[in-house]
């Protein structure tokens, strides 16, 4: 049978080489795989959800089993998600697994990206895959935001409203762009069906296509490796794909799905029945977005009330934190491999990865960026954080306004110091020479000559 | 006609087709014209490429060996197309024309994206509030100052527009003596009733929380806080502008009515918001 196929396609040699392909063995190389397996779970559960979801803003009267909403006017989209949650057998678990998988998907991408960053795996020859990776992160975020908004509940509707306000804040083109995207002044009946087309068709096509290219380049370039024994810039030290790595990855795939299933089954997420349907005149409090958007909401909350009008052009206050800040953040991330090569003047190929301490400046930048992200994310929940610590939300905001400037700077300095110390300690630089002392018969000390 | 001329002609037709397509989209035109324009744009481009392939590329016949998959040795067949020095400048011209035709066609094909939404026009400057419209609550009941409890807050709409998002307004009753409104607005608060747009001037969320004791309106989205007694001036959070105040009075039958639309655009800011259109509605 295999011979019959091989005589027609000639794949045996290619497959044999593929199975023998050597992959370096390190747990941190599996982070991207976790993201990949989340994507598989997302596609499988997503297909199920699509069979029941109705992308329609037309209003209907809710008549399902959730008593508090009986007789209320809701959109057909919200109604279909309620039906999926309460009446479709296995519907709720699919929905919750899908949502948890989305959160873990983005998290796995971010942790994977941090691993790449702190080990310098983006350097030549891997700049192209770094760029594709950033593109995949952006697509994953777009998938998350479009999917989050589909149920047309009060919380996600408020999120859409904030996005609309950020878009119209863009100077010169904002109002036109917002009217094109939303189909008019917010709220519109068009937006739900548009988000749906993006979420189930355009974005997944780009995302899956991008992942395939990402993997093809990885295979073509061979995996980078840590400085393990026998590893050089011209080899790959590890274990063959078959059977060791294949078994590990299959196991990881199934375990990822298992954890997502456990979360989907046991941990409630996005209970749209308690948020209620979207209504443009009401709002829920507290209102927090999914974790990966929290930093942007936090930036909107922390930014001071500045709205400048000069020469008849107003720069609305959401523009800087909502458009400029993420633009700069993703701009720096995208260009990092080129910026670093330009600053350090290092353009050589690197197959051996750095330890974070070997590159104090890069590591310090990474830590500072991470701290900005963490503080902005905290700010995105400043009302909840204030409640937990029992301080007024105004005080919490002012504390975070100071922290967003001070903490990343401190983190930068501290990381730089620790890394240089660790690096120099290994290299034996900057530390006093070790000497042996010998006590003389007279009771004094003298240096013991090592020779 | 020589091949280069034919290619140039076909590309010119394609460019004209694309330009016609743009004109038809901008000025409007029948479906037949749209179809013909697109067919000319694509047809010209396709014809040019085919003539190019047949008439301008001199490709010698090559032989590539077929291998049984059992033996995996593969010989690369090497053959190079000869480039004629004399034709280079003519080819460069045709290449540029081809790129231009492609670019114009792409632009023409992107244009239908503008069908996705209307022009903003005056939508962001105006709401449905007009002079003489009664303030009604969500149940469509008109309101008299006496009906409103001191320190209470009610979401109101213009009569006939209940639920219309950009008209949502907060009606609050305070002691008239506590009020310290900006000058010129004293008449807008009959019997201590004041009305502000409910749409936050930061990111557009409904300003849903009222701390009655301190007379503060609080937006739950980003914690912008507005002082109700002093014309809803922002005193904390990221909002930089006050909530626009609705001018109103009491009509002869004792009901609260608007004196006109909000004096400024409501909700989140946009770049030309200070250029309020002339007719105030």
């Amino acid at each position: 049978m295999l011979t019959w196929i091989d005589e027609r396609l000639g794949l045996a040699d290619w497959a044999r080489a593929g199975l023998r392909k050597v992959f370096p063995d390190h747990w941190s190389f599996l982070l991207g795989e976790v993201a990949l397996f989340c994507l598989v779970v997302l596609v499988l559960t997503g297909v199920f959800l699509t069979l029941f979801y109705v992308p329609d803003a037309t209003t209907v009267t809710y008549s399902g089993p959730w008593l508090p909403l009986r007789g209320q006017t809701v959109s057909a989209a919200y109604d279909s998600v309620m039906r999926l949650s309460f009446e479709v057998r296995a519907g709720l678990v699919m929905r919750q697994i899908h949502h948890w998988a989305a959160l873990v998907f983005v998290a796995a991408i971010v942790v994977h990206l941090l691993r790449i960053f702190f080990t310098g795996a983006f350097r030549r020859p891997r700049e192209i895959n770094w760029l594709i990776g950033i593109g995949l992160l952006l697509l994953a975020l777009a998938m998350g935001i479009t999917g989050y908004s589909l149920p047309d509940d009060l919380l996600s509707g408020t999120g859409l409203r904030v996005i609309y306000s950020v878009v119209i804040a863009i100077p010169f083109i904002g109002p036109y762009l917002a009217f094109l995207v939303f189909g008019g002044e917010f709220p519109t009946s068009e937006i739900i069906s548009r988000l749906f087309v993006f979420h189930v068709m355009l974005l997944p096509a780009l995302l899956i296509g991008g992942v395939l290219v990402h993997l093809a380049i990885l295979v073509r370039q061979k995996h980078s490796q840590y400085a393990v024994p026998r590893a050089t810039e011209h080899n790959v030290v590890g274990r063959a794909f078959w059977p060791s790595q294949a078994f590990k990855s299959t196991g990881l795939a199934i375990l990822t799905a298992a954890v997502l299933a456990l979360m989907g089954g046991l941990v409630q997420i996005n209970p749209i029945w308690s948020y209620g349907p979207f209504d443009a005149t009401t709002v829920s409090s507290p209102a927090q977005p999914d974790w990966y958007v929290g930093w942007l909401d936090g930036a909107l909350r922390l930014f001071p009330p500045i709205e400048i009008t000069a020469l008849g052009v107003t720069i609305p206050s959401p523009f800087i934190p909502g458009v400029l800040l993420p633009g700069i953040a993703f701009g720096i991330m995208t260009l990092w491999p080129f910026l670093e090569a330009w600053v350090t003047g290092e353009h050589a190929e690197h197959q051996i990865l750095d330890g974070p301490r070997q590159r104090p400046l890069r590591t310090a930048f990474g830590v500072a960026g991470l701290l900005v992200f963490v503080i902005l994310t905290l700010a995105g929940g400043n009302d909840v954080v204030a409640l937990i610590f029992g301080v007024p939300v105004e005080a919490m905001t002012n504390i975070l306004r100071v922290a967003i400037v001070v903490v990343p700077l401190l983190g930068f300095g501290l990381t730089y110091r620790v890394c240089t110390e660790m690096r120099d300690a290994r290299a034996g630089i900057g530390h006093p020479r070790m000497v042996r002392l010998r006590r003389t018969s007279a009771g004094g000390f003298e240096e013991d000559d090592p020779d | 006609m020589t091949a280069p001329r034919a290619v140039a002609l076909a590309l010119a037709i394609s460019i004209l087709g694309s330009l016609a397509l743009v004109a038809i989209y901008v000025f409007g035109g029948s479906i037949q014209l749209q179809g013909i324009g697109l067919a000319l744009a694509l047809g010209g481009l396709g014809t040019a490429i085919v003539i190019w392939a047949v008439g301008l590329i001199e490709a010698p016949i090559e032989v590539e060996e077929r291998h049984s998959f059992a033996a995996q040795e593969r010989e690369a067949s090497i053959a190079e197309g000869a480039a004629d020095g004399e034709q280079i400048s003519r080819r460069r011209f045709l290449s540029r024309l081809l790129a231009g035709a492609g670019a114009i066609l792409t632009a023409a094909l992107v244009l239908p994206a503008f069908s996705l939404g209307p022009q903003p026009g005056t939508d962001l400057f105006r709401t449905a509030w007009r002079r003489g419209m009664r303030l009604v609550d969500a149940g469509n009941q008109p309101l008299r100052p006496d009906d409103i409890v001191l320190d209470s807050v009610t979401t109101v709409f213009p009569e006939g527009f209940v639920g219309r998002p950009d008209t949502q307004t907060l009606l609050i009753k305070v002691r008239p003596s506590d009020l310290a409104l900006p000058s010129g607005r004293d008449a807008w608060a009959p019997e201590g009733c004041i009305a502000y747009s409910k749409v936050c001037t930061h990111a557009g969320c409904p300003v849903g929380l009222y701390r009655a004791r301190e007379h503060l309106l609080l937006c739950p989205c980003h914690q912008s806080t507005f002082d109700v007694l002093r014309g809803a001036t922002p005193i904390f959070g990221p909002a930089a502008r006050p909530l626009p105040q609705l001018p109103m009075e009491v009509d002869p039958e004792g009901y609260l009515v608007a004196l006109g639309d909000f004096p400024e655009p409501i909700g989140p800011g946009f770049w030309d918001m200070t250029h309020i259109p002339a007719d105030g509605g």
Side-chain angles (χ1 to χ4, degrees):
Chain A
M1 170 70 181
L2 283 175
T3 318
W4 186 88
I5 294 173
D6 189 44
E7 279 166 4
R8 278 147 188 85
L9 297 177
L11 295 175
D13 287 356
W14 180 80
R16 211 170 287 134
L19 291 177
R20 274 204 309 261
K21 195 170 173 57
V22 170
F23 285 89
D25 214 1
H26 193 270
W27 65 267
S28 71
F29 298 159
L30 298 176
L31 296 167
E33 285 193 22
V34 172
L36 180 67
F37 303 141
C38 284
L39 181 60
V40 174
V41 171
L42 282 167
V43 171
L44 294 177
T45 50
V47 168
F48 183 85
L49 299 180
T50 313
L51 298 174
F52 299 93
Y53 176 73
V54 180
D56 184 1
T58 317
T59 51
V60 295
T61 304
Y62 180 72
S63 59
W66 179 250
L67 294 177
L69 276 182
R70 276 267 178 92
Q72 266 212 48
T73 308
V74 301
S75 69
Y78 183 84
D79 189 53
S80 73
V81 183
M82 286 297 282
R83 200 168 76 81
L84 192 54
S85 305
F86 286 102
E87 292 162 76
V88 175
R89 192 169 288 186
L92 184 57
V93 79
M94 289 283 191
R95 242 198 80 210
Q96 297 209 141
I97 292 175
H98 191 74
H99 203 132
W100 276 119
L103 298 192
V104 178
F105 180 51
V106 182
I109 292 176
V110 170
V111 180
H112 171 60
L113 180 140
L114 291 176
R115 196 282 292 172
I116 303 278
F117 180 84
F118 285 115
T119 60
F122 52 80
R123 290 173 299 174
R124 187 177 170 189
R126 296 190 171 75
E127 305 96 322
I128 297 174
N129 239 10
W130 169 267
L131 295 178
I132 294 172
I134 299 288
L136 291 175
L137 171 62
L138 289 171
L139 283 171
L141 293 176
M143 283 296 279
I145 290 164
T146 52
Y148 172 78
S149 307
L150 288 179
D152 202 20
D153 58 288
L154 187 54
L155 186 60
S156 72
T158 306
L160 272 185
R161 174 193 283 287
V162 174
I163 292 172
Y164 166 85
S165 302
V166 167
V167 175
I168 70 164
I170 301 171
F172 305 111
I173 59 166
Y176 304 95
L177 190 63
F179 273 53
L180 285 185
V181 173
F182 284 80
E185 188 178 1
F186 186 89
T188 60
S189 52
E190 284 95 336
I191 190 64
I192 288 293
S193 55
R194 289 187 183 179
L195 292 172
F196 182 67
V197 171
F198 274 85
H199 186 74
V200 306
M201 207 171 83
L202 296 172
L203 296 174
L206 289 171
L207 188 63
I208 292 170
V211 166
L212 293 178
V213 177
H214 200 59
L215 292 176
I217 292 178
L218 163 80
V219 169
R220 175 85 184 144
Q221 293 183 331
K222 300 194 170 71
H223 209 289
S224 54
Q225 56 191 346
Y226 290 110
V228 293
R230 284 194 287 161
T232 72
E233 290 285 354
H234 306 285
N235 65 9
V236 182
V237 178
R239 295 199 169 83
F241 177 71
W242 185 265
S244 132
Q245 301 289 6
F247 272 66
K248 276 185 194 168
S249 292
T250 311
L252 181 63
I254 294 168
L255 289 175
T256 305
V259 171
L260 294 175
L262 202 64
M263 293 169 90
L266 300 185
V267 192
Q268 188 184 61
I269 187 162
N270 204 22
I272 58 153
W273 49 91
S274 70
Y275 304 149
F278 177 67
D279 168 8
T281 65
T282 51
V283 63
S284 62
S285 176
Q288 261 75 41
D290 277 346
W291 76 267
Y292 45 83
V293 186
W295 66 291
L296 291 173
D297 206 48
L300 285 177
R301 292 176 189 214
L302 286 197
F303 195 71
I306 298 172
E307 204 158 82
I308 309 154
T309 302
L311 306 170
V313 177
T314 305
I315 309 290
S317 76
F319 175 67
I320 293 173
V323 182
L324 221 51
L325 169 84
I328 292 171
F330 278 103
I332 293 176
M333 272 163 66
T334 306
L335 295 177
W336 185 270
F338 310 102
L339 290 175
E340 193 186 287
W342 178 59
V343 170
T344 61
E346 240 186 88
H347 299 280
E349 284 213 347
H350 290 281
Q351 307 293 351
I352 304 274
L353 298 170
D354 291 328
R357 71 171 172 280
Q358 289 170 273
R359 302 285 176 165
L361 204 57
R362 178 203 293 152
T363 305
F365 262 111
V367 167
L370 211 52
L371 286 171
V372 169
F373 178 81
V374 168
I375 292 166
L376 288 181
T377 304
L378 275 180
N382 61 348
D383 42 349
V384 180
V385 177
L387 202 67
I388 292 170
F389 288 108
V391 293
V393 69
E394 288 85 353
M396 195 66 230
T397 302
N398 285 331
I399 291 169
L400 289 170
R401 277 175 176 164
V402 175
I404 191 66
V405 179
V406 175
V407 174
L409 287 176
L410 284 178
F412 183 92
L414 196 66
T415 310
Y416 187 79
R417 187 68 204 267
V418 168
C419 286
T420 25
E421 291 278 332
M422 285 173 76
R423 185 187 59 184
D424 295 350
R426 288 223 158 188
I429 307 166
H431 286 262
R433 192 169 53 93
M434 282 235 268
V435 292
R436 263 171 98 151
L437 293 181
R438 191 175 50 187
R439 191 168 176 187
T440 60
S441 52
F445 290 92
E446 68 179 22
E447 197 174 319
D448 192 9
D449 198 348
D451 298 322
Chain B
M1 187 158 49
T2 60
R5 277 210 188 148
V7 172
L9 181 68
L11 288 175
I13 289 172
S14 171
I15 289 171
L16 289 176
S18 295
L19 292 173
L21 211 51
V22 172
I24 292 164
Y25 184 83
V26 172
F27 300 109
S30 68
I31 177 172
Q32 287 83 357
L33 285 176
Q34 290 166 356
I36 291 167
L38 186 55
L40 284 176
L42 289 171
L45 194 62
T47 308
I49 292 171
V50 170
I51 298 174
W52 196 313
V54 175
L56 288 178
I57 297 174
E58 290 150 21
I61 298 291
E62 295 172 40
V63 179
E64 184 184 338
E65 294 302 324
R66 191 188 298 279
H67 297 283
S68 143
F69 284 127
Q72 282 290 323
E73 284 301 307
R74 190 161 293 177
E75 294 133 37
S77 76
I78 302 153
E80 277 183 30
D84 192 333
E86 297 166 21
Q87 296 173 346
I88 281 178
S89 72
R90 190 193 294 155
R91 289 228 179 135
R92 188 172 296 153
F93 168 71
L94 286 182
S95 299
R96 283 182 186 163
L97 200 59
L98 181 69
I104 296 170
L105 178 58
T106 308
L109 292 180
V110 168
L111 268 188
F114 287 95
S115 302
L116 287 172
Q119 292 277 311
T122 57
D123 287 7
L124 294 176
F125 291 94
R126 303 266 172 71
T127 74
W129 283 106
R130 293 291 179 275
R131 187 181 190 89
M133 278 184 176
R134 278 185 179 160
L135 281 68
V136 297
D137 64 14
N140 210 18
Q141 292 303 309
L143 300 159
R144 273 187 290 245
D146 294 343
D147 301 337
I148 302 158
V149 182
L150 188 72
D151 284 337
S152 74
V153 56
T154 317
T155 302
V156 296
F157 301 92
E159 195 168 20
F161 296 92
V162 171
R164 178 92 151 239
D166 60 350
T167 64
Q168 54 181 314
T169 300
L170 292 166
L171 180 62
I172 301 165
K173 190 169 185 178
V174 297
R175 276 181 202 85
S177 56
D178 289 343
L179 278 171
L181 293 173
S183 61
R185 293 201 205 162
D186 295 331
W188 293 5
E191 297 176 42
C193 293
I194 34 175
Y196 296 110
S197 164
K198 195 181 176 179
V199 185
C200 185
T201 54
H202 174 235
C205 291
V207 181
L209 304 174
Y210 183 51
R211 288 196 209 147
R213 215 182 319 151
E214 299 140 281
H215 303 292
L216 295 179
L217 278 168
L218 193 86
C219 179
C221 281
H222 306 106
Q223 287 89 43
S224 291
T225 309
F226 303 91
D227 185 347
V228 166
L229 298 178
R230 296 192 295 123
T233 336
I235 59 160
F236 187 78
R241 268 175 297 119
L243 299 170
Q245 186 178 351
L246 185 75
M248 60 178 181
E249 61 177 5
V250 178
D251 73 0
E253 288 156 72
Y255 291 103
L256 288 166
V257 294
L259 281 166
D261 199 354
F262 292 104
E264 310 105 38
I266 59 126
F270 49 99
W271 71 277
D272 59 348
M273 66 184 306
T274 51
H275 303 261
I276 299 172
D279 62 313

